[in-house]
Amino acid sequence: MNKASGIRKPINVAEVTSVSLSNETAPLPDGVIRGLSIDNLIFGLDGSELKVLLIKHGEGIRMGDWALPGGWIKQEEDLRDAARRLLRDLTGVEHPYLSQLKTFGKVNRYPAERVVTVAYYALVSAYDYALMAGFSASEADWFNVHDLPPLVFDHQEILEYGIKHLQHEVRHHPVGFNLLPEKFTLLQLQELYEAILDAKLDKPNFRRKIMKMNLLTTCNEKQQGVAHRAANLYRFDKNAYAQLTEQGFTFEV
């Protein structure tokens, strides 16, 4: 795993970057919205593995526990701006394309008082980010979604919902295709699907269905510098990709 941590200047309470409501008994910082929080669900593709970004609470009664990176929202902040700020300050990851996933509001989801959380998500390449834990997070790390430590509050429920949402999306929109290199093999594309769907796919069947979508254009090139038999390289047809992104498709594998 890619463990990383960093030292930053002590947090000013007014900056409101507490980690996912980590201190249940402390009064709220000034200038935040009471009873409303943000939690970020960041999926990372690491080769053929689907991982999720977690932080470890570095203070409060949840110190030492793992959680999704999140926290309080400032009064003057848009929700997405709050999600980006919290993700950046707690993990060092900057990602401008966070999408709202769902609002989670069970009465007892947070023990001290009624708190509703708005979850945001993104799918990224885990290789692209050097993690830097900051503020009230003592660690930030990628974990395989099938090999996780216990999570605080209802964060396991948020994660499970996010995985199902991602699996639905990849069957109906070209989700995550941008994580592939410009020129890629059909095996690389299949591994992308297998990582998200958590399923081993039949190679001939997968390739036949992909090619019927008219989404790929052959590069008339083969892989270079590989020990095994070089595979053909493909790229996405930009027009077909844009049309499928807008209209969607059904890809049953």
Side-chain angles (χ1 to χ4, degrees), residues 166-186:
L166 186 60
Q167 291 173 342
H168 177 270
E169 283 292 288
V170 80
R171 293 179 186 273
H172 296 87
H173 296 91
V175 175
F177 287 17
N178 58 310
L179 302 183
L180 294 171
E182 181 183 358
K183 299 177 182 180
F184 53 87
T185 67
L186 291 177

Side-chain angles (χ1 to χ4, degrees), residues 190-204:
Q190 181 173 333
E191 288 177 341
L192 170 69
Y193 268 86
E194 289 179 338
I196 295 175
L197 296 175
D198 187 32
K200 191 68 178 176
L201 305 178
D202 179 74
K203 184 186 293 185

Side-chain angles (χ1 to χ4, degrees), residues 185 222-224 226-232:
T185 67
K222 290 184 178 292
Q223 288 175 299
Q224 299 292 324
V226 293
H228 52 78
R229 181 181 177 184
N232 293 323

Side-chain angles (χ1 to χ4, degrees), residues 17-29:
T17 359
S18 62
V19 54
S20 226
L21 316 176
S22 59
N23 190 337
E24 295 171 5
T25 60
L28 282 180

Side-chain angles (χ1 to χ4, degrees), residues 40-241:
N40 286 305
L41 184 56
I42 309 301
F43 292 111
L45 277 175
D46 185 359
S48 59
E49 291 186 69
L50 182 63
K51 296 186 175 181
V52 65
L53 179 56
L54 302 178
I55 55 89
K56 180 182 283 189
H57 288 187
E59 59 185 44
I61 66 172
R62 294 292 186 177
M63 185 170 63
D65 290 342
W66 289 94
L68 301 174
W72 300 110
I73 305 163
K74 298 177 183 179
Q75 289 283 356
E76 70 278 8
E77 262 184 327
D78 290 339
L79 291 178
R80 186 173 282 105
D81 291 340
R84 291 171 181 164
R85 170 180 59 81
L86 289 160
L87 180 63
R88 179 190 67 241
D89 290 353
L90 292 167
T91 71
V93 171
E94 296 213 35
H95 196 277
Y97 302 114
L98 296 173
S99 299
Q100 193 171 128
L101 176 65
K102 184 184 176 183
T103 299
F104 294 82
K106 287 184 178 178
V107 173
N108 61 349
R109 66 167 302 274
Y110 177 63
E113 64 179 276
R114 181 72 186 273
V115 176
V116 172
T117 195
V118 182
Y120 280 80
Y121 80 102
L123 177 63
V124 303
S125 172
Y127 290 119
D128 291 344
Y129 296 96
L131 303 183
M132 181 69 70
F135 296 108
S136 52
S138 61
E139 294 183 48
D141 205 350
W142 293 104
F143 287 82
N144 186 299
V145 295
H146 304 295
D147 186 18
L148 297 173
L151 302 181
V152 301
F153 312 131
D154 60 349
H155 289 193
Q156 183 67 39
E157 179 185 344
I158 296 173
L159 172 61
E160 290 172 1
Y161 182 91
I163 291 173
K164 290 180 180 178
H165 176 81
L166 186 60
Q167 291 173 342
H168 177 270
E169 283 292 288
V170 80
R171 293 179 186 273
H172 296 87
H173 296 91
V175 175
F177 287 17
N178 58 310
L179 302 183
L180 294 171
E182 181 183 358
K183 299 177 182 180
F184 53 87
T185 67
L186 291 177
L187 179 59
Q188 287 175 303
L189 181 58
Q190 181 173 333
E191 288 177 341
L192 170 69
Y193 268 86
E194 289 179 338
I196 295 175
L197 296 175
D198 187 32
K200 191 68 178 176
L201 305 178
D202 179 74
K203 184 186 293 185
N205 189 47
F206 175 83
R207 295 186 176 193
R208 183 174 63 255
K209 290 183 176 182
I210 279 289
M211 299 309 292
K212 284 181 63 177
M213 294 167 63
N214 296 319
L215 180 61
L216 306 182
T217 300
T218 181
C219 298
N220 295 315
E221 298 177 36
K222 290 184 178 292
Q223 288 175 299
Q224 299 292 324
V226 293
H228 52 78
R229 181 181 177 184
N232 293 323
L233 292 173
Y234 295 85
R235 62 164 55 93
F236 290 115
D237 182 311
K238 293 182 178 179
N239 292 331
Y241 184 91

